[in-house]
Amino acid sequence: MTDTRSTQIAAGLLAGLFALLVWKLNGFFHDDAFISLRYARNLAELGELAWNPGERTEGYTNLLHVVLSAALIRLGLDPMWAAQTINATAFIVLLGLGWRLSAGMHLRPLERLATLTVPVSVPVVGWIFGGLESVLVATLLASAYLSALAVLFGQSSLRHSLIASTF
């Protein structure tokens, strides 16, 4: 079997696995995500990052996810859809980053495709629908890693160092 044919079969299997996981997990939503969404709704609707209006509380653990969710809620998205939209977008970026990270490893196409089995796994796909920040954090970490690799290979060290630190 040729490398191209093997890669096509593997890509089909990976896409099939992803479709199966999406079908199986799309109704999943973490109960803890509702804590973050309460903060996000209060921020979007009342302009307060608080559990109860008028109180100064900080019970969220994911400020970036809360702020992004609030922005999407303010634009009219349902709170659960807002969190899942952020996670789905982060997942797409994570796939691209995974592919890009594998580019410098001199792997054959089939081996590069194998690196995408991590993002297309039960836990990651579950977190897309779960509403918490894990996929966004993974994407930020992969972005930092990719920028740090550029520094290690001597590409525009200051710029990539700043980008890596920001992520």
Side-chain angles (χ1 to χ4, degrees):
M1 186 178 302
T2 66
D3 231 16
T4 303
R5 185 70 182 139
S6 297
T7 302
Q8 291 171 339
I9 290 170
L13 290 172
L14 194 59
L17 173 64
F18 179 71
L20 176 67
L21 292 174
V22 167
W23 172 74
K24 191 75 174 151
L25 299 171
N26 72 34
F28 175 68
F29 201 82
H30 286 280
D31 56 348
D32 284 353
F34 289 109
I35 296 168
S36 297
L37 290 181
R38 181 165 176 164
Y39 283 96
R41 281 186 66 187
N42 284 339
L43 181 59
E45 297 170 1
L46 307 171
E48 293 184 41
L49 189 57
W51 180 256
N52 293 316
E55 292 181 1
R56 288 188 46 91
T57 57
E58 292 183 18
Y60 51 86
T61 58
N62 46 7
L63 179 62
L64 180 60
H65 206 270
V66 169
V67 170
L68 292 173
S69 295
L72 292 177
I73 292 167
R74 189 160 184 110
L75 290 173
L77 244 56
D78 171 77
M80 288 174 63
W81 273 97
Q84 290 172 330
T85 298
I86 293 162
N87 291 345
T89 303
F91 173 76
I92 291 166
V93 172
L94 186 60
L95 282 178
L97 290 170
W99 189 253
R100 180 133 186 256
L101 282 167
S102 69
M105 298 179 185
H106 308 293
L107 302 173
R108 295 181 314 206
L110 184 59
E111 293 166 334
R112 283 187 75 192
L113 191 61
T115 65
L116 297 182
T117 59
V118 173
V120 181
S121 63
V122 174
V124 176
V125 175
W127 284 101
I128 293 169
F129 296 104
L132 289 173
E133 70 279 2
S134 299
V135 181
L136 178 61
V137 170
T139 302
L140 294 172
L141 288 172
S143 299
Y145 184 73
L146 188 60
S147 296
L149 275 179
V151 173
L152 292 174
F153 291 113
Q155 302 170 356
S156 182
S157 293
L158 180 59
R159 182 171 68 96
H160 287 290
S161 293
L162 292 173
I163 292 170
S165 298
T166 301
F167 284 121

